[in-house]
Amino acid sequence: MKELFKKWNSISLVKRIIVGLIIGTVLAFIRPNITNESLGNFVDIVSIFGSLFVGALKAIAPVLVFFLVMEALCKHKEGQKTNMSRVIALYLVGTFLAALCGVVISFLFPLELILPQAVTDAPSAPEGLDQVLKTLLLNLVDNPIHALITPNYMGILFWAVLIGLALRGAKEETKNVISNFSEAISSVVRHVISFAPFGIMGLIYDSIVTSGSDIFKNYFMLLVVLLGTMLFVAFVVNPIMVFTQIKTNPYPLVLTCIKRSGITAFFTRSSAANIPVNMKLSQDLQLNEDTYSVSIPLGATINMAGAAITISVMALAAVNTLGIQVDFATALILSVLSALAACGASGVAGGSLLLIPLACSLFGISNDIAMQVVGVGFIIGVLQDSTETALNSSTDVLFTATADYAQRIADGEKIDFKKILSNI
């Protein structure tokens, strides 16, 4: 059994998911032609895999968010000076602008989702920003145990931040315990996601049987909005940010980072796995090693523009599906929340999807419905997660280079960008 599990994991997750999509689709289309009742009931059992997959994610996601955020904060030593304020500022501003782009484009091109399961408990629309803020504040001070059980993601985030900050001065042994718990839970999530092909097979089967082939148009439009927003950030927003810092044509540097880092990350689907590629590219760009040796690993954790887009777009798609009216001021709060949530995105493939419930909770959307949205995310994740990772990872080295060059220009150094890039 152990050897079988190893062989299963040795196959690319993307390939397994594609097979699951194909099998689920084929079974859904042949189901109406099955006249034998026993055989038809046997085929219908496929849908339970989707329910089990979503149920497992729903169970582990609150604990994952709690420990990821707490670990990230407690590992920062009090009084530690990184001398990377410009890099971190670019990371945070870039992630926020990406989330904001996701919100704006979702308003311009509103989407509704066909969820794998029927929605029966849609919440009432919030009356205004004051009600949203009141609900938000009350959820923040929820009992932490109750917040994990409910789950109330705003309360989970609030207490994780407070406990994480309080633990910054703790002994290293205590921090190691938190890190071990975080890694153990991340490992559990990776095991759950390794069975995503079965879950997606069940979800796509249930979706087609329930809603027909219209779901393909729905998923295609969702992908267009998600990938279009990510490309807009990569080729418009990021170059503008770079230009404000180095005051020269940003596109040669932007394209170099996408070609050398983004394409590799697209296929590895892991910012952490792409760290060695970014390190080598940083060296080739003649950056300060003291800067990129810290900023690249840090960026793989907190610089998550693609994840911020996914969280904001998917959350607003859920809002539209449920008929909740949202004003732009509330959506702006969503941008901030999506950016913060993205900074805690798990390092596993599809990790940003598990933070969608955190954004959905801002609008009172139940965890059951939010997890159905997560299920949709996994269905389109073959392209969505690959593009998201490509944007995240290429931006790590892009912003590191921008901060390094900007500082050297400010110190009076003349940089020959054409010569540097031509040697790569």
Side-chain angles (χ1 to χ4, degrees):
M1 190 67 173
K2 189 175 181 180
E3 290 299 320
L4 184 62
F5 189 71
K6 284 184 178 179
K7 289 181 180 179
W8 170 255
N9 283 330
S10 66
I11 304 172
S12 166
L13 181 62
V14 173
K15 293 179 181 178
R16 286 180 279 158
I17 287 176
I18 292 174
V19 172
L21 280 169
I22 293 172
I23 294 175
T25 302
V26 170
L27 289 176
F29 277 112
I30 68 174
R31 177 63 180 88
N33 299 321
I34 298 178
T35 56
N36 185 292
E37 185 177 349
S38 298
L39 182 59
N41 291 335
F42 177 77
V43 172
D44 287 338
I45 293 176
V46 170
S47 64
I48 198 174
F49 290 116
S51 299
L52 290 172
F53 180 62
V54 171
L57 292 176
K58 184 168 64 176
I60 196 64
V63 185
L64 176 69
V65 172
F66 182 74
F67 276 97
L68 281 177
V69 174
M70 186 166 59
E71 182 204 16
L73 290 171
C74 78
K75 285 171 67 176
H76 178 80
K77 297 179 181 179
E78 291 183 310
Q80 184 183 40
K81 294 182 179 179
T82 60
N83 296 320
M84 294 201 333
S85 58
R86 191 190 292 264
V87 178
I88 294 174
L90 287 171
Y91 282 170
L92 297 180
V93 171
T95 301
F96 169 73
L97 290 178
L100 184 60
C101 286
V103 168
V104 171
I105 292 178
S106 292
F107 268 78
L108 294 175
F109 305 99
L111 293 173
E112 293 186 11
L113 302 175
I114 297 177
L115 298 177
Q117 301 172 27
V119 175
T120 59
D121 56 343
S124 58
E127 296 176 359
L129 180 60
D130 56 339
Q131 181 184 348
V132 173
L133 290 175
K134 181 180 178 181
T135 303
L136 176 64
L137 292 174
L138 290 175
N139 285 338
L140 287 178
V141 294
D142 190 13
N143 181 291
I145 304 299
H146 182 263
L148 284 168
I149 295 173
T150 314
N152 165 17
Y153 281 89
M154 299 309 301
I156 292 170
L157 183 64
F158 178 73
W159 290 112
V161 168
L162 288 186
I163 296 173
L165 291 174
L167 286 171
R168 285 195 303 172
K171 295 180 179 179
E172 287 301 317
E173 292 81 357
T174 303
K175 295 181 181 181
N176 289 337
V177 170
I178 301 296
S179 295
N180 290 339
F181 268 106
S182 179
E183 177 55 35
I185 295 165
S186 296
S187 178
V188 171
V189 172
R190 284 192 288 270
H191 286 309
V192 171
I193 291 178
S194 72
F195 289 97
F198 295 104
I200 290 172
M201 179 180 66
L203 290 172
I204 196 71
Y205 173 84
D206 189 54
S207 296
I208 296 174
V209 168
T210 303
S211 306
S213 58
D214 288 344
I215 64 163
F216 292 108
K217 179 181 177 182
N218 183 262
Y219 293 162
F220 175 75
M221 292 306 299
L222 178 60
L223 267 175
V224 168
V225 171
L226 280 169
L227 303 191
T229 306
M230 292 178 191
L231 291 174
F232 179 80
V233 169
F235 292 103
V236 178
V237 176
N238 285 349
I240 291 175
M241 290 183 63
V242 173
F243 178 78
T244 62
Q245 299 296 308
I246 63 175
K247 302 296 190 279
T248 190
N249 180 10
Y251 282 99
L253 178 59
V254 170
L255 294 175
T256 298
C257 292
I258 291 175
K259 182 175 67 174
R260 285 284 302 273
S261 174
I263 293 177
T264 306
F266 182 89
F267 292 102
T268 63
R269 301 175 74 214
S270 170
S271 294
N274 212 47
I275 287 176
V277 175
N278 283 349
M279 288 286 199
K280 180 62 169 63
L281 178 55
S282 297
Q283 183 180 14
D284 292 342
L285 289 170
Q286 301 176 21
L287 306 183
N288 187 329
E289 185 176 359
D290 291 336
T291 299
Y292 72 73
S293 63
V294 177
S295 67
I296 296 300
L298 180 66
T301 304
I302 70 168
N303 184 36
M304 295 288 178
I309 292 169
T310 297
I311 294 168
S312 57
V313 170
M314 296 292 283
L316 284 177
V319 165
N320 294 333
T321 302
L322 299 176
I324 300 175
Q325 299 299 317
V326 179
D327 56 36
F328 194 78
T330 305
L332 188 62
I333 296 177
L334 173 64
S335 300
V336 177
L337 183 62
S338 297
L340 291 174
C343 291
S346 174
V348 299
S352 63
L353 298 176
L354 299 182
L355 296 169
I356 291 173
L358 177 62
C360 287
S361 67
L362 178 65
F363 305 100
I365 298 174
S366 72
N367 192 50
D368 288 338
I369 297 176
M371 279 302 171
Q372 292 178 42
V373 178
V374 173
V376 172
F378 274 101
I379 290 173
I380 64 171
V382 173
L383 286 176
Q384 169 269 327
D385 190 50
S386 295
T387 308
E388 175 187 308
T389 307
L391 175 60
N392 291 341
S393 191
S394 63
T395 307
D396 293 345
V397 66
L398 175 65
F399 286 163
T400 296
T402 299
D404 186 272
Y405 292 147
Q407 183 61 51
R408 287 155 61 179
I409 291 172
D411 293 338
E413 181 180 345
K414 291 185 177 181
I415 301 175
D416 190 343
F417 291 101
K418 187 176 181 179
K419 180 179 180 181
I420 293 174
L421 296 175
S422 65
N423 292 329
I424 296 178

